[in-house]
Amino acid sequence: MPIKVDQLSKSYDNQPALNHISFEIPKGQIVGFLGPNGAGKSTLMKILTSYEKADQGEAWINNKPLKDSTENIRKQIGYLPEHNPLYLQQYPKEYLSFNANIYNVSKSRIEEVIELTGLGDVTFKKIGALSKGYRQRVGLAAAILHDPNVLLLDEPTTGLDPNQLEDIRNLIRNLGKDKTVLLSTHIMQEVNAMCDRALIINKGNLVGDHMLNQNDDETVYLAEFNTSFNNDLLKSLPKFQHFKTLKENLFEIKLSEPNPTALFDFAVQQNLKITHLNTKQLDLESLFKEATT
């Protein structure tokens, strides 16, 4: 498994940043890591890159435990941090050449990543003179320079204009075909545009894990009944998955298959009347709001 996390916990000054986080990511999957500011996203990224150590739990990169972190494991990871550290007095090609020497990769690879990331038009400018979007491209080029099979990208689309944004989205989607990508962001549109799956973290806890399929959004029923009853009876509905009480006699009910007739049959059996029935499309934004509020 390219990325595996088991019961990771981390605290700073007795304040928990991560609380027993567990998940796995297979090869060829692009996963969006979503959460409010301060939820623990960057902390997890730092642990996965061996920049910081977890207090409890374990993580593996390509089936090798990070607690036995070696230079070989780190070479299998490409990392773009949230605050992209660059040498502003260098030119992009000069900076990438410096990184190529560290990773002992061919200089021909520099030209490849420059083309991949669309840096060809700005190689004559120093990094300090580049826009924030182009600096992100330089950081992404450095992250993929050594052709790692695991990419950890922390806010990779920050500062990009709409045209640059589409280019980087396409690049990440193409990289995800044969690499494992964990992409931390707070922008849900980016997850919808690039990712196969979304992990949602809130206050250090993993509160959501959703496969994304834009053609198959989760659907729930909003059903209101004329009087109160034993709510647990809803569990007898065919294909029942879960329900939530929104207010007295109003419920959010999810079935694994669309079946409004089952709700009317249930009402008749329980001597109830349905006074309101509607469907609710749960997009990623709705799932995020429900998981983090």
Side-chain angles (χ1 to χ4, degrees), residues 216-235:
D216 186 26
D217 285 339
E218 293 183 50
T219 302
V220 298
Y221 292 98
L222 297 178
E224 186 169 16
F225 298 88
N226 64 323
T227 188
S228 59
F229 60 97
N230 180 358
N231 299 350
D232 285 339
L233 292 173
L234 290 169
K235 297 176 182 179

Side-chain angles (χ1 to χ4, degrees), residues 274-291:
I274 294 179
T275 57
H276 174 84
L277 181 65
N278 205 346
T279 57
K280 175 184 177 184
Q281 297 298 321
L282 284 181
D283 57 15
L284 183 57
E285 184 173 355
S286 298
L287 292 168
F288 179 86
K289 286 180 178 178
E290 292 188 4

